Amino acid sequence: MKKLCLVQLPVPPPAALAATGNVPLAAGCLGVAARVHGLEKRLQIEVVEPAATDVLGDALLADRIAREEPELVGFSLYLWNSERSLHLAREVKRRSPHTRVLIGGPEVGPDNAFILQQTGADIAVTGEAEDTFARVMSALVEGRSADGIPGVALRGPLGFNAFAPQPAANFPLTDYPSPYLADLVPVDPERSTYVETVRGCRSHCTFCFYPRSSSVLRLLDVEKSAALIAALRDRGAREVVFLDPTFNHRPEFEPLLDALIRENAARALSFFAEIRAEGLTAQQARKLKQAGFDRLEIGLQSVNRETLKRVRRGGSPEKVAEAARMLHGEGIELLVDLIVGLPGDTPEDVLRGMDFLDANGLAGEAQVFPLSLLPGTAMRATAGPDGVAFDAAPPYRVRRTATFSEEALLGTLLAAEDRLGRRLDEWPRPHLVDGGLDGFAPRQEPSAQHVALWFRAADPFTRRGEILRAIDARLRLDPYATLDVVLCPDAPFPLDLLDLIRGRLRDAPESYLSRVLGHRGEDLQRRIAVVLRGPQPPDWIDAAREKAQVFRDQSAGDALREPEELGAALPGARITGPVTAEDFSALARRAEGESVVFADEALELQWTRRVLGFSDAR
């Protein structure tokens, strides 16, 4: 019997102990499709567990996938995992040369040369893949070629051939049961549980991926949707996230809310979904709260009506404000999206959007982010004529438009941060707990997905050759792992060393994670930290902080002398030694969350949960 191994890699978190939230739903759906089409008797199906995909570094994860030399491995590609997935594909094939690799997911399509030009995969599948995947698996199990199957491209000597023409997906959602109920994806009360009751979207927003699938809605009816929620609840689900493109625009929306109210009468579940302001009524807002929706996402996107028309979004800011008032009145928290860089918008439009959010009490709930031109979107197809330049690699950020220069894009994002009084992007939090890897060890070994490589030396500069060789060894083993390079000196050292290290890290393979903060001149994947063990000249410390994050080893009591200055006028604090509950609470109240780290892993985990807000930290 042939073996199929399905892999879905997580969004890499900004902090080592923050949970990824990874649920391999797409991989599970493919496994269900293979079963439904009768392949289970000829194909052993495994979905690689998040305990492996979320924790193991590249080398160990490749070993895990290849250990039984599966005939087939499938990777679900998203913008945050595509490059690491293809690296793992190559590493699996190096360990198991007969293994054939399939790729699919939102990243795979005829307009994304960035993916198709890379090596590692043998077969590419585009679009909704359940039916297509089953046909491909049937062909491969029977020893036939998958060439000509709609939505499939095969790699030849010169690369992938063209995708065979593919009609819009039209299979009923009832054809395939939930992978949770098929025991391919476990229900984990510590993670969100994802549910689709609708596929297809009647909106035509040009920046959105959903219209690529179909404008025809296919849905689970109210009875089946309610039964699915009840079954997930009984299996231990606690938070259910609806993946429906526009939750409140599905047919029979209010009857579904009534059913959810009945199934969640004990309030064992909390729900989350994305809605649109248009058409939302006060009665629906009330029922959303009664059903268990404590948070919802709603798209403002722009306050320029002409821009909203141009990107085929429609709607109006006033409708968003009205919907927000109704939802707030019911006690529902919101995430309100505002996009920077939409064609037609200007920096002034974005700042007017900030004023609008503030005036309507939404500034604290705003998600402000730069436009990404995703594969398969209409906006990507018309980028050239529209005068939009964007990065060809994930996250496909807009670089400039006819009304936004590169400088204006960054300046507008920073101005939005000033208005909101908070950073919009994730902060690259170094992992400085005791027990990190010894950078001066004779040999570097495969390790975890996020590691800290410590170099403790009186003068690290005198050992720069050893430091660079250790970094090179680490990057060869796990090139897509998150890496903190930590220098722990006894005395000031020439800061040229930080430039040497930064240059070496920049030579490593790029990825979504290394690029996502590139507009800020930061690298979320490979970071440098300096940990001071004693007093150092203030001028030297200030100069070091221009090039790296700097922390000082100190007790909680010492940190509480000037907690408001930590990370500002003073270096951050790495807390060593015992910490009382009172001191922990005082630091949480008075210090900036990212300016305090802990040597003790249990305290770092507690801080990650309570102060940084990663409630599902591991």
Side-chain angles (χ1 to χ4, degrees):
M1 179 183 290
K2 287 183 169 61
K3 179 167 184 178
L4 166 65
C5 192
L6 295 167
V7 185
Q8 184 173 323
L9 301 181
V11 180
L17 298 183
T20 66
N22 184 32
V23 175
L25 187 70
C29 288
L30 297 178
V32 166
R35 287 183 178 178
V36 166
H37 287 270
L39 290 166
E40 193 172 19
K41 295 180 180 179
R42 296 178 290 167
L43 192 64
Q44 180 186 351
I45 303 166
E46 177 192 24
V47 176
V48 178
E49 69 281 5
T53 58
D54 296 11
V55 175
L56 300 180
D58 303 332
L60 292 177
L61 185 52
D63 289 343
R64 161 69 181 82
I65 297 168
R67 68 186 179 190
E68 295 181 10
E69 299 187 5
E71 285 79 9
L72 301 162
V73 173
F75 288 92
S76 299
L77 301 193
Y78 296 86
L79 82 166
W80 57 80
N81 71 16
S82 58
E83 289 151 297
R84 186 180 182 221
S85 295
L86 290 169
H87 168 74
L88 286 172
R90 293 186 288 269
E91 288 298 300
V92 167
K93 290 168 76 72
R94 189 168 65 84
R95 291 161 170 78
S96 176
H98 74 281
T99 295
R100 301 184 74 182
V101 172
L102 299 87
I103 56 173
E107 290 290 283
V108 180
D111 69 340
N112 196 2
F114 175 78
I115 294 297
L116 299 179
Q117 289 173 357
Q118 296 194 49
T119 60
D122 303 296
I123 301 172
V125 180
T126 189
E128 290 186 45
E130 283 92 339
D131 281 358
T132 305
F133 181 77
R135 292 184 64 181
V136 171
M137 287 296 103
S138 294
L140 297 179
V141 167
E142 295 167 5
R144 296 183 286 108
S145 171
D147 192 26
I149 295 176
V152 174
L154 304 184
R155 183 179 295 281
L158 300 179
F160 278 108
N161 61 10
F163 286 93
Q166 180 184 38
N170 61 4
F171 58 83
L173 298 191
T174 51
D175 283 359
Y176 300 106
S178 166
Y180 293 107
L181 305 188
D183 294 321
L184 281 168
V185 177
V187 174
D188 184 348
E190 299 299 319
R191 297 174 187 257
S192 298
T193 301
Y194 294 100
V195 167
E196 288 182 294
T197 71
V198 174
R199 285 195 190 175
C201 185
R202 288 174 178 162
S203 298
H204 298 281
C205 308
T206 61
F207 54 81
C208 184
F209 177 81
Y210 287 131
R212 167 178 163 178
S213 172
S214 174
S215 61
V216 177
L217 300 188
R218 291 167 291 136
L219 64 153
L220 293 180
D221 63 26
V222 169
E223 181 181 351
K224 289 184 174 62
S225 298
L228 173 58
I229 295 300
L232 295 173
R233 178 201 62 212
D234 293 345
R235 287 176 176 238
R238 290 297 172 263
E239 181 190 55
V240 174
V241 175
F242 287 89
L243 299 177
D244 306 359
T246 306
F247 185 61
N248 61 317
H249 284 189
R250 61 157 284 154
E252 298 185 301
F253 174 55
E254 286 200 49
L256 176 60
L257 291 181
D258 292 334
L260 294 178
I261 291 169
R262 290 193 301 272
E263 295 297 343
N264 198 28
R267 294 304 296 266
L269 298 169
S270 65
F271 297 123
F272 178 84
E274 182 177 351
I275 64 169
R276 286 196 61 160
E278 293 76 29
L280 187 72
T281 67
Q283 177 170 292
Q284 291 170 353
R286 186 163 52 254
K287 288 185 176 183
L288 282 163
K289 180 62 176 180
Q290 291 171 351
F293 287 88
D294 297 318
R295 295 172 74 233
L296 290 166
E297 184 171 358
I298 190 167
L300 172 63
Q301 318 307 9
S302 173
V303 294
N304 184 327
R305 287 175 176 268
E306 291 305 312
T307 295
L308 293 173
K309 290 178 184 176
R310 178 172 177 172
V311 301
R312 304 186 70 183
R313 170 74 182 181
S316 72
E318 292 73 23
K319 287 289 186 182
V320 172
E322 180 185 355
R325 284 191 292 272
M326 288 189 290
L327 295 167
H328 280 163
E330 299 296 336
I332 297 175
E333 297 179 1
L334 299 177
L335 295 174
V336 185
D337 301 331
L338 181 68
I339 301 176
V340 179
L342 285 172
D345 259 1
T346 66
E348 291 73 25
D349 290 322
V350 175
L351 296 180
R352 285 197 302 112
M354 299 304 302
D355 293 337
F356 173 87
L357 291 167
D358 188 50
N360 288 280
L362 299 172
E365 299 172 310
Q367 294 189 127
V368 184
F369 49 87
L371 173 69
S372 289
L373 273 73
L374 302 176
T377 60
M379 187 175 289
R380 186 181 177 108
T382 62
D386 289 341
V388 178
F390 64 98
D391 290 329
Y396 311 113
R397 282 253 173 93
V398 62
R399 299 190 68 87
R400 62 181 178 276
T401 72
T403 51
F404 263 104
S405 66
E406 289 193 46
E407 295 76 17
L409 278 166
L410 177 58
T412 304
L413 286 167
L414 296 179
E417 290 187 342
D418 287 341
R419 298 279 187 97
L420 294 174
R422 57 184 165 90
R423 180 180 167 112
L424 295 172
D425 296 307
E426 301 278 17
W427 182 265
R429 181 176 180 82
H431 192 50
L432 302 182
V433 302
D434 289 338
L437 302 180
D438 179 5
F440 292 125
R443 177 184 173 87
Q444 292 295 318
E445 300 290 345
S447 190
Q449 171 55 17
H450 189 150
V451 297
L453 191 62
W454 285 75
F455 297 97
R456 296 176 175 86
D459 182 358
F461 188 80
T462 63
R463 304 184 69 177
R464 58 192 179 277
E466 295 173 75
I467 291 172
L468 295 178
R469 284 192 292 274
I471 291 171
D472 288 344
R474 189 83 255 137
L475 293 173
R476 282 194 299 271
L477 283 169
D478 295 323
Y480 291 93
T482 300
L483 175 63
D484 289 309
V485 176
V486 186
L487 303 180
C488 196
D490 289 335
F493 59 86
L495 296 179
D496 291 351
L497 176 58
L498 299 179
D499 296 326
L500 287 172
I501 293 172
R502 180 70 64 199
R504 192 58 56 95
L505 295 176
R506 284 178 179 150
D507 289 340
E510 290 188 346
S511 71
Y512 161 85
L513 198 61
S514 70
R515 296 188 201 96
V516 71
L517 298 183
H519 60 292
R520 308 182 77 106
E522 298 174 3
D523 187 336
L524 191 57
Q525 182 167 8
R526 304 177 186 104
R527 312 88 164 271
I528 306 172
V530 177
V531 175
L532 307 176
R533 292 182 283 189
Q536 308 287 6
D539 289 349
W540 182 86
I541 293 174
D542 290 342
R545 292 179 68 193
E546 292 292 321
K547 298 174 180 288
Q549 296 189 62
V550 178
F551 294 82
R552 186 188 300 281
D553 275 353
Q554 55 196 285
S555 68
D558 288 339
L560 282 168
R561 290 175 182 170
E562 296 181 273
E564 294 84 2
E565 298 301 324
L566 296 174
L570 299 174
R574 179 176 182 261
I575 307 299
T576 60
V579 180
T580 66
E582 292 77 11
D583 284 350
F584 188 97
S585 296
L587 282 169
R589 287 195 313 272
R590 300 176 61 190
E592 183 68 32
E594 297 294 356
S595 68
V596 177
V597 300
F598 292 85
D600 180 84
E601 185 166 2
L603 291 171
E604 176 71 7
L605 177 59
Q606 188 179 357
W607 189 267
T608 302
R609 286 176 170 165
R610 286 179 48 187
V611 179
L612 301 183
F614 294 102
S615 58
D616 55 354
R618 51 193 173 185

